[in-house]
Amino acid sequence: MPIYFCPQCFAKLAPSVDCCPFCKTAIADYLRKTPYVDRLIHALNHPESEARMAAVIGLGRLAAQAAVSPLLALLERWPADVVQGGEAIQSLRRIGTDAAKNGLQQVAVTHPSRVIRHLAERALNTALNAREADH
Ligand SMILES: [Zn+2]
């Protein structure tokens, strides 16, 4: 049976619930009024790793510039999750702004996980090569 969550506070809900009993969010209203990118960024704090992963991937596909800081925060908050971290790094590479590259450089040097540092380093090299190929 699928599990439903409040998109605002992430409480588990029955699928028929219209208004979250915990945070009083009117769910249909919230989904209609909150921009998709904002919902994805908010979902980076979801307690379920699958939901976080879907948000990480979605933000990368959209190359959402507003997601740079939230993705970097995600890398700090779950430092041992290298699958999620690797995907966050790919999303930062796709976003590709200076802020994203600076963030990746920081991660490549300071992140506690050696695997994550390596993945960030590789993402930076890939981004660089892609830019060189344009010239
Ligand atoms: Zn709620």
Side-chain angles (χ1 to χ4, degrees):
M1 197 183 102
I3 301 167
Y4 292 84
F5 296 93
C6 171
Q8 177 60 42
C9 74
F10 307 129
K12 286 182 185 175
L13 303 176
S16 56
V17 168
D18 296 324
C19 180
C20 175
F22 301 96
C23 72
K24 311 297 176 205
T25 294
I27 292 171
D29 211 40
Y30 174 89
L31 295 177
R32 198 178 62 242
K33 285 182 181 163
T34 312
Y36 184 51
V37 166
D38 292 354
R39 272 155 46 199
L40 289 179
I41 288 173
H42 185 59
L44 293 176
N45 294 307
H46 202 286
E48 299 283 317
S49 67
E50 279 177 35
R52 292 199 301 274
M53 193 65 136
V56 168
I57 292 168
L59 288 164
R61 289 212 179 116
L62 294 168
Q65 295 189 20
V68 171
S69 293
L71 285 168
L72 291 168
L74 175 103
L75 279 158
E76 273 184 37
R77 187 165 170 197
W78 285 279
D81 188 338
V82 295
V83 176
Q84 173 181 281
E87 208 59 58
I89 285 166
Q90 286 311 308
S91 290
L92 286 163
R93 186 181 64 78
R94 285 197 194 99
I95 294 167
T97 58
D98 285 345
K101 285 178 200 158
N102 291 340
L104 283 172
Q105 263 154 9
Q106 279 293 315
V107 169
V109 176
T110 63
H111 198 277
S113 161
R114 190 177 57 80
V115 176
I116 293 291
R117 290 198 305 273
H118 171 75
L119 291 172
E121 183 75 50
R122 202 169 63 182
L124 283 164
N125 290 337
T126 311
L128 235 73
N129 292 341
R131 197 168 46 184
E132 281 162 9
D134 288 343
H135 293 290

